[in-house]
Amino acid sequence: MNRKVKKYVNGAKAVYRGIEYGVADGDANGRMARLWQTAILSKWKPVFACIPLESQIEHFQEDYYASIARCHVEGKSNAFLEFMLTQIDGILDDVAAQIDQEGAQLSEYVRKLLGVMEYGVPYTGKTLMDRLGLKSRETFRRNYLHPAMEQGLVRMSIPDKPQSRNQRYVKAE
């Protein structure tokens, strides 16, 4: 296992132990510990702030506590690490499936537009049309740009002045 992953998951486990066993109300402490685990993992990789890890663990609470108990008996964190990584893997599978469903709803035009753009890079309309091999500004706006902006996938650099000659379009993160 990657050392950094193990470091952060072990840190999350240490926080769990400190909170879970430090106060009398076990269930509330467990929730607090899981929130801290999410906070620690989010600091390592910000994507964890968007992943419902606490909710996933809550669905498998008995297994969660069983993995912690096994760690106490065995004197190793392997059972907890295995449990956490299995839950993270399950969540990532769910997120990937949701992304695939949302991606299926994108038109071919919007997919092509997103394919020629990089995140955070501002492009002029002309540059995007050139990258797409388009000649008609109206076709570009109607089929590519406006649908992408309506879905929040592309944003204007100067939203208050949509007709500005300095207008740029940025692929949203």
Side-chain angles (χ1 to χ4, degrees), residues 18-139:
I19 294 173
E20 181 72 17
Y21 297 109
V23 187
D25 182 7
D27 189 41
N29 297 331
R31 284 193 302 273
M32 181 62 74
R34 291 187 296 272
L35 289 172
W36 272 104
Q37 290 164 352
T38 299
I40 291 168
L41 291 171
S42 297
K43 185 172 181 177
W44 171 57
K45 293 285 183 186
V47 71
F48 283 102
C50 304
I51 294 175
L53 189 57
E54 153 59 25
S55 299
Q56 180 77 3
I57 292 171
E58 189 174 18
H59 293 302
F60 297 95
Q61 200 164 8
E62 286 183 31
D63 295 335
Y64 178 77
Y65 287 117
S67 72
I68 301 270
R70 276 186 46 208
C71 290
H72 291 296
V73 170
E74 296 170 2
K76 298 178 184 176
S77 61
N78 295 359
F80 179 78
L81 291 171
E82 185 177 314
F83 172 81
M84 290 298 291
L85 292 173
T86 300
Q87 297 309 311
I88 290 168
D89 189 44
I91 290 169
L92 292 176
D93 286 344
D94 292 345
V95 169
Q98 288 176 358
I99 289 170
D100 287 344
Q101 287 175 343
E102 291 172 10
Q105 296 172 1
L106 294 179
S107 73
E108 188 63 31
Y109 298 121
V110 172
R111 280 195 199 120
K112 285 180 182 179
L113 175 62
L114 296 175
V116 300
M117 298 178 79
E118 294 181 37
Y119 289 104
V121 177
Y123 297 94
T124 64
K126 174 82 170 100
T127 301
L128 292 172
M129 287 175 58
D130 290 344
R131 286 178 163 223
L132 292 164
L134 299 174
K135 303 282 185 222
S136 169
R137 185 175 290 158
E138 182 56 35
T139 298

Side-chain angles (χ1 to χ4, degrees), residues 137-152:
R137 185 175 290 158
E138 182 56 35
T139 298
F140 169 67
R141 287 182 180 157
R142 183 180 60 244
N143 295 338
Y144 294 82
L145 188 59
H146 289 160
M149 289 193 320
E150 288 169 3
Q151 293 178 23

